Amino acid sequence: AQSVTQLDSHVSVSEGTPVLLRCNYSSSYSPSLFWYVQHPNKGLQLLLKYTSAATLVKGINGFEAEFKKSETSFHLTKPSAHMSDAAEYFCVVSDRSSNTGKLIFGQGTTLQVKP
Amino acid sequence: AAGVIQSPRHLIKEKRETATLKCYPIPRHDTVYWYQQGPGQDPQFLISFYEKMQSDKGSIPDRFSAQQFSDYHSELNMSSLELGDSALYFCASLFGQPRAYNEQFFGPGTRLTVL
C-alpha cells in the first residue's frame, strides 16, 4: 500500500522567511509524488511533481521539492514566503499498485504567513 | 486555456433527496476522476473513468453511481442523501490512459450541503 504523511498540520512563517513543509511517503513502487495547493474556496492546483527524473523538482511560484529515497521524504520548500502563499498544501502520491492514476492525499498542511 | 468545468458550483439538498453533479473535462481529455473532500479532510478518491469505462473504484457508497458519456463528460449521481455526504466534490481530468505519472487537472469543485 502507498501513503503519504504530512508531518505538520499547521505551519506559520513570517513574510520573507523560508518555508518548509514536510512530507514522508511509503511506497512499494518507485513513487510518483505531487504537491498540490488549495486556496480557500478554490480548487486544487498542481505546484510540482516528481516522476523518477531529477530528484530536485522546481515548481511554480518559487516552490521546489527534493525527492530523497534514503529518507523516504519529499519536502516542499520556498526561500521566501509571500502573503499569497497562505493556503492548504497537500502532498500526494499516485497509486501505482493499480496504476490507474488515482491519487492518495496526505492530511494537508495549513500554511499561515504573517506580515 | 480551457479548464475543467463542474456544475453546479453549490448545491443544497435535504436528507434522502438525490443530487447530480456534472464534470466537463478539458477538451480532448478522456480520463475523469472524482474525489470527495469532507470538512477539514483530505480529498478521497471515489471513482474514475477512461474512454467511457470505469477504470478504478474507491470508497464510493452504493448510493452513488457515476458514468462517463460519449463526449467524455461525467456525472456523479447521489441518492438517499445523508448529512455525511456534505462535502466538496472534485472532478479531475487528464489526457490519455490513466497512469500514475500523469498530471490530473482539477476543477473548482461542487460544494454539496445536505440539510
Side-chain angles (χ1 to χ4, degrees):
Chain A
Q2 292 157 105
S3 65
V4 286
T5 302
Q6 293 183 241
L7 303 176
D8 308 290
S9 60
H10 189 99
V11 170
S12 181
V13 301
S14 298
E15 188 175 23
T17 64
V19 175
L20 170 62
L21 304 183
R22 298 182 296 165
C23 173
N24 286 351
Y25 70 90
S26 174
S27 177
S28 304
Y29 305 83
S30 179
S32 291
L33 293 161
F34 308 80
W35 275 98
Y36 280 86
V37 61
Q38 183 179 29
H39 288 92
N41 300 312
K42 299 285 188 181
L44 293 156
Q45 181 183 22
L46 179 68
L47 281 177
L48 48 80
K49 64 177 180 179
Y50 167 78
T51 55
S52 72
T55 56
L56 182 61
V57 182
K58 294 189 183 296
I60 62 171
N61 301 333
F63 285 95
E64 63 181 37
E66 186 171 8
F67 173 76
K68 291 187 177 180
K69 185 175 181 179
S70 61
E71 299 176 10
T72 62
S73 68
F74 190 58
H75 301 335
L76 182 70
T77 60
K78 182 174 181 177
S80 177
H82 192 272
M83 294 297 292
S84 61
D85 294 328
E88 187 81 9
Y89 291 79
F90 291 99
C91 182
V92 182
V93 64
S94 186
D95 183 5
R96 284 208 165 184
S97 60
S98 63
N99 204 25
T100 57
K102 70 181 180 187
L103 300 179
I104 299 168
F105 287 75
Q107 302 88 335
T109 298
T110 302
L111 176 63
Q112 179 187 23
V113 182
K114 297 177 290 186
Chain B
V4 177
I5 297 171
Q6 291 187 246
S7 69
R9 293 292 309 278
H10 302 273
L11 189 58
I12 299 175
K13 291 286 186 179
E14 300 277 344
K15 280 173 52 178
R16 293 180 287 279
E17 285 190 322
T18 61
T20 297
L21 278 54
K22 298 183 179 183
C23 169
Y24 297 88
I26 292 172
R28 296 178 62 225
H29 282 199
D30 43 13
T31 298
V32 168
Y33 300 85
W34 286 97
Y35 296 87
Q36 177 192 55
Q37 184 180 26
Q41 304 294 314
D42 53 286
Q44 296 288 321
F45 169 73
L46 290 178
I47 196 167
S48 62
F49 295 89
Y50 169 62
E51 284 292 340
K52 294 156 282 183
M53 299 286 289
Q54 181 180 307
S55 57
D56 202 352
K57 190 173 181 179
S59 47
I60 182 170
D62 292 339
R63 299 177 289 107
F64 294 6
S65 65
Q67 59 181 320
Q68 185 179 33
F69 294 85
S70 57
D71 63 351
Y72 298 117
H73 93 272
S74 178
E75 295 184 4
L76 178 65
N77 298 293
M78 311 159 70
S79 63
S80 303
L81 287 170
E82 302 174 356
L83 296 179
D85 296 328
S86 295
L88 189 57
Y89 291 83
F90 287 109
C91 168
S93 74
L94 64 82
F95 173 70
Q97 291 190 10
R99 288 288 182 262
Y101 46 80
N102 287 343
E103 176 185 350
Q104 296 179 25
F105 294 82
F106 281 81
T110 293
R111 184 168 297 281
L112 172 66
T113 302
V114 181
L115 302 176

